[in-house]
């Protein structure tokens, strides 16, 4: 709703499907969930997460997933069950069950 968008940068789109209510350890601050996204049971979603559609569809997230702060899950990807996604990861490919995903160490590309 407009109040949430203005006050917390949050938008849980109408049509998003949650099998059970997710856990938001840091509240709803900055969480965006696209319509047609599907989120499984017992998922934990930290702040500043975007679960968004793009060409090719909308994300489907399995059960018992932990989505760290700042994660972006984009497009028609399938996230398996029992997956842990580390902070600031950008997910554009499918992730199998029981995987742990982290962002690689930052590196200098221009000196």
């Amino acid at each position: 709703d407009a109040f949430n968008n203005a006050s917390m940068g949050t938008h849980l789109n109408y049509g998003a499907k949650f099998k059970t209510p997710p856990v938001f350890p840091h509240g709803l601050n900055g969480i965006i969930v696209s319509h047609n996204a599907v989120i499984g049971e017992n998922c934990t979603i930290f702040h500043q997460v975007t679960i968004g559609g793009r060409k090719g569809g909308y994300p489907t997230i399995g059960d018992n997933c932990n989505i760290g702060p700042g994660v972006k899950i984009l497009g028609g990807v399938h996230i398996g069950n029992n997956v842990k996604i580390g902070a600031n990861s950008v997910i554009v490919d499918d992730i199998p069950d029981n995987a742990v995903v982290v962002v690689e160490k930052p590196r200098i590309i221009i000196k």
Side-chain angles (χ1 to χ4, degrees), residues 91-110:
I91 308 299
V92 294
D93 294 313
D94 293 348
I95 307 294
D97 289 349
N98 305 308
V100 176
V101 179
V102 297
V103 117
E104 70 178 278
K105 178 182 172 190
R107 65 194 187 285
I108 298 170
I109 59 172
I110 297 175

Side-chain angles (χ1 to χ4, degrees), residues 13 15-19 32-40 43 45 49-63 65 67 71-80 85 90-95:
N13 280 287
K17 294 174 183 65
F18 296 87
K19 288 185 181 177
I32 308 294
V33 178
S34 183
H35 69 292
N36 295 333
V38 177
I39 298 167
C43 289
I45 302 173
V49 167
T50 298
I51 300 171
R54 24 179 261 187
K55 287 184 180 181
Y58 300 89
T60 300
I61 298 170
D63 297 336
C65 291
I67 302 170
V71 169
K72 309 303 180 231
I73 302 173
L74 305 171
V77 298
H78 296 277
I79 308 298
I85 304 174
V90 177
I91 308 299
V92 294
D93 294 313
D94 293 348
I95 307 294

Side-chain angles (χ1 to χ4, degrees), residues 2-16:
F3 174 76
N4 285 340
N5 285 334
S7 66
M8 297 186 294
T10 299
H11 194 68
L12 304 178
N13 280 287
Y14 180 77

